[in-house]
Amino acid sequence: MARRPLPRILSSGTTSLARGRDLARTAADSATDVLHPLLVIGRGLRILAAAGRRRWSQTPKDKRGPALFLAAACVLVVALVPYGPLLALITLMAAAAWHGRDRTPAKTGPSDAETERLGSLYEALVPYFSIPEDPSPLFAHGGDWDKAFSGYEFDEAGRITRLHIRYPAYFTDGEAASRARIEALLHAKSGRGREYLFDWDEEGNQLDLRVLAALPTGIAAQPFVTSPGETVLGFTDAGGVQRTLPVLEGDEPRDVPPVIWRTGPRSAEPHLLAVGQPGGGTSTLLRSVALQALRHGGDVLIVDGGGSGEYSCLSGRAGVLAVECGPTGAQATLEWAAQETERRLIATHRAREVGRPAPEDTRRPLWILLDQPSVLAHLAVAEGGPDPLAQLQVPLRHGRPAHVTVVVAEQFGHLELLNDAVWQHTRARVVLGPAAVQQVTDVLGLPPHTTPTAQVPPGRGYARLGTGPVHRLQVPATPDPYDEATHPAYRQAVLELLPERQPGPNRLLSAKSLRAPALDAQPEVAAEAP
């Protein structure tokens, strides 16, 4: 079996340079730990020398002579006393170590400003965490916030970054509306513009609030270390997944936790729906998925309903069957995809009847990517033609055993134009761009576990695979390489991942080639059946 070449990020020399930098940094840290006593003594000697120079400069000139005579006499006495020089050296080193110690005062409690902020936050929570019938309320006006807040952390600006709250057992933490009121209050009082994670412990009556760091936005499209059938939708928080991937952020290698979407016959989420606002990053997600599918040897069909030409870089590439922008071409392409799905199902079924493996062409992954298909549906209905989305029912319902994957990207304003088959069979969901909590809940089926922010970078949102948890998501930067308004490094990264152009026209550009083989034709394996 031929050995597969290593990815570029593993075979390049940047990994060796990074390993060398890590070793140098580790050696420097170890040397600092070993030489720490010498550094302390050196700092103390410098402080003593500075104090001696200052004392000498403050001594009057008429008293400097007797002072020198007294110092010389002391040195002579120390030299003549048994073990005098050794004791003097030990005394000098002890004094230097004492004066060179770290004198940074340890912070034992919150400052006055932090205490005032915690007190105001405690008073704001009193109406929600107290009832008149409670004989010893944990939250009361003018009460002590130390009993309710068992842990807290602040940043350099004095804003809360972490807070651990104890609340009474009678609080209705099992109701989503009650939790939402507390989260909204804490979000407003702790500072807007940041993402907060609220971890409710209903059993222990405790709430942990944390400020989440921003997800990395400088990771461009690159050959990710994944196996066939795995697609990297983006990157998330370290505590959300159990896996990391080696990537390059600029020229710096690092390991980041990815959101992996698995497709194929054994996948529980065979199709994907991405929803967002204009400029939210759904087209970027589709380009990233297309490049990863082509890298693993799949065939890709692209239907660009917006007609923006953002997928023209894929036209004519090896593995790209067609890139359609009009309603007529989209109708023919999706009709071919439906017939191709049926052909694969029939060929696989007949091969299994005679005890043979499925044909090779039926196991090759076929990806159908649709960007804003509601626009094409509206144009088709306006022209009196059939709805192209009706052809998606066969790939959506029967695409998983036929190795057919459908990815639909749509905007929030056009979701009502999607048919029921799209909503029923796209169990992997992604929401990108700024969105309200209710919008995210309507698409993903669960509210986001963090507080959405108004200003988010492109490709930033949430993802949920099937019945799993909701993850924060940052899609890798995959812009249109022909768009000069984007970052040149990101455009070059996309150009390096594009397959070679194939000679001649695509075999799906003509109307005649958009007809699948006759479904009633008997394959070769059927002729050998008894």
Side-chain angles (χ1 to χ4, degrees):
M1 180 182 296
R3 180 175 297 176
R4 297 177 58 185
L6 289 174
R8 180 174 56 85
I9 60 175
L10 295 181
S11 58
S12 61
T14 56
T15 305
S16 301
L17 294 177
R19 188 181 297 108
R21 287 195 296 267
D22 293 340
L23 292 176
R25 190 180 298 109
T26 304
D29 294 340
S30 302
T32 302
D33 295 338
V34 172
L35 300 177
H36 180 70
L38 297 180
L39 296 177
V40 172
I41 293 175
R43 184 166 57 247
L45 291 175
R46 186 171 63 252
I47 294 175
L48 292 176
R53 287 194 303 268
R54 185 169 57 254
R55 184 66 178 271
W56 177 260
S57 63
Q58 295 176 356
T59 304
K61 293 183 178 180
D62 55 343
K63 295 183 179 180
R64 291 183 179 180
L68 287 176
F69 178 77
L70 181 60
C74 292
V75 171
L76 180 61
V77 170
V78 170
L80 295 177
V81 172
Y83 303 103
L86 179 60
L87 294 176
L89 180 61
I90 294 175
T91 303
L92 179 62
M93 292 298 103
W98 175 258
H99 287 84
R101 71 188 188 278
D102 188 8
R103 299 186 180 184
T104 303
K107 187 176 180 181
T108 58
S111 61
D112 295 338
E114 295 172 353
T115 302
E116 183 179 357
R117 182 180 290 271
L118 290 173
S120 63
L121 187 59
Y122 173 83
E123 292 291 335
L125 292 172
V126 169
Y128 301 93
F129 286 150
S130 64
I131 58 176
E133 296 81 6
D134 192 352
S136 57
L138 183 61
F139 285 82
H141 291 292
D144 190 3
W145 55 264
D146 290 339
K147 299 179 180 179
F149 300 156
S150 58
Y152 45 83
E153 295 178 7
F154 293 86
D155 57 7
E156 294 79 4
R159 297 190 301 175
I160 293 176
T161 58
R162 186 157 193 170
L163 183 64
H164 192 77
I165 304 174
R166 294 176 54 244
Y167 56 88
Y170 52 76
F171 176 71
T172 56
D173 52 4
E175 299 178 2
S178 301
R179 293 197 305 268
R181 286 194 298 267
I182 299 299
E183 293 176 1
L185 175 64
L186 293 175
H187 183 202
K189 293 295 183 180
S190 302
R192 299 184 182 274
R194 301 183 295 174
E195 285 192 85
Y196 295 89
L197 173 64
F198 299 95
D199 187 9
W200 291 85
D201 183 9
E202 293 87 351
E203 185 178 0
N205 301 321
Q206 297 179 359
L207 169 61
D208 189 70
L209 177 148
R210 287 191 297 117
V211 176
L212 297 177
L215 295 176
T217 59
I219 301 177
Q222 51 194 280
F224 301 113
V225 185
T226 56
S227 60
E230 293 183 344
T231 303
V232 177
L233 298 180
F235 304 98
T236 184
D237 300 304
V241 295
Q242 304 294 328
R243 177 179 176 181
T244 59
L245 284 182
V247 298
L248 285 177
E249 185 175 1
D251 295 332
E252 185 71 20
R254 54 179 302 189
D255 292 339
V256 292
V259 178
I260 300 292
W261 174 39
R262 293 175 176 82
T263 58
R266 294 178 177 84
S267 173
E269 304 88 19
H271 309 296
L272 174 70
L273 173 63
V275 184
Q277 300 287 358
T282 54
S283 300
T284 298
L285 177 61
L286 259 65
R287 275 190 296 269
S288 176
V289 171
L291 292 177
Q292 296 181 61
L294 293 173
R295 176 173 171 265
H296 290 299
D299 291 333
V300 177
L301 282 174
I302 301 176
V303 176
D304 185 10
S308 58
E310 294 188 357
Y311 305 95
S312 58
C313 60
L314 297 171
S315 180
R317 303 285 179 174
V320 181
L321 302 182
V323 179
E324 295 293 343
C325 301
T328 304
Q331 174 68 25
T333 300
L334 295 180
E335 182 182 353
W336 178 88
Q339 297 180 5
E340 173 67 11
T341 304
E342 295 176 351
R343 184 194 70 83
R344 292 186 175 203
L345 291 175
I346 294 175
T348 303
H349 177 68
R350 289 175 176 169
R352 290 174 179 174
E353 283 184 343
V354 297
R356 293 180 176 271
E360 182 66 26
D361 59 343
T362 62
R363 297 197 301 267
R364 184 180 178 88
L366 174 61
W367 293 75
I368 306 174
L369 310 181
L370 298 95
D371 191 1
Q372 301 184 37
S374 61
V375 178
L376 295 177
H378 178 75
L379 294 177
V381 173
E383 295 177 0
D387 185 4
L389 293 180
Q391 302 294 334
L392 281 179
Q393 295 187 8
V394 175
L396 286 171
R397 294 177 178 176
H398 309 290
R400 181 174 62 176
H403 295 270
V404 178
T405 304
V406 179
V407 181
V408 180
E410 192 52 84
Q411 298 181 4
F412 278 107
H414 303 154
L415 290 180
E416 67 276 1
L417 299 179
L418 298 179
N419 53 27
D420 296 337
V422 175
W423 288 104
Q424 182 179 359
H425 296 282
T426 53
R427 294 175 50 84
R429 304 284 179 84
V430 173
V431 176
L432 298 178
V437 176
Q438 188 59 42
Q439 290 178 319
V440 178
T441 305
D442 294 340
V443 176
L444 301 183
L446 285 179
H449 62 296
T450 61
T451 55
T453 57
Q455 303 294 331
V456 296
R460 174 69 175 82
Y462 299 93
R464 188 188 184 199
L465 304 179
T467 58
V470 178
H471 300 284
R472 287 204 307 166
L473 182 71
Q474 178 62 51
V475 178
T478 316
D480 182 8
Y482 300 154
D483 185 6
E484 298 182 355
T486 57
H487 198 282
Y490 298 159
R491 291 190 288 133
Q492 182 62 31
V494 175
L495 289 174
E496 293 177 358
L497 294 178
L498 290 175
E500 298 292 335
R501 292 190 178 275
Q502 57 183 3
N506 289 343
R507 57 187 175 91
L508 293 183
L509 293 182
S510 61
K512 182 181 295 185
S513 62
L514 283 169
R515 296 293 180 266
L519 298 180
D520 55 352
Q522 299 290 334
E524 296 180 1
V525 295
E528 300 179 5

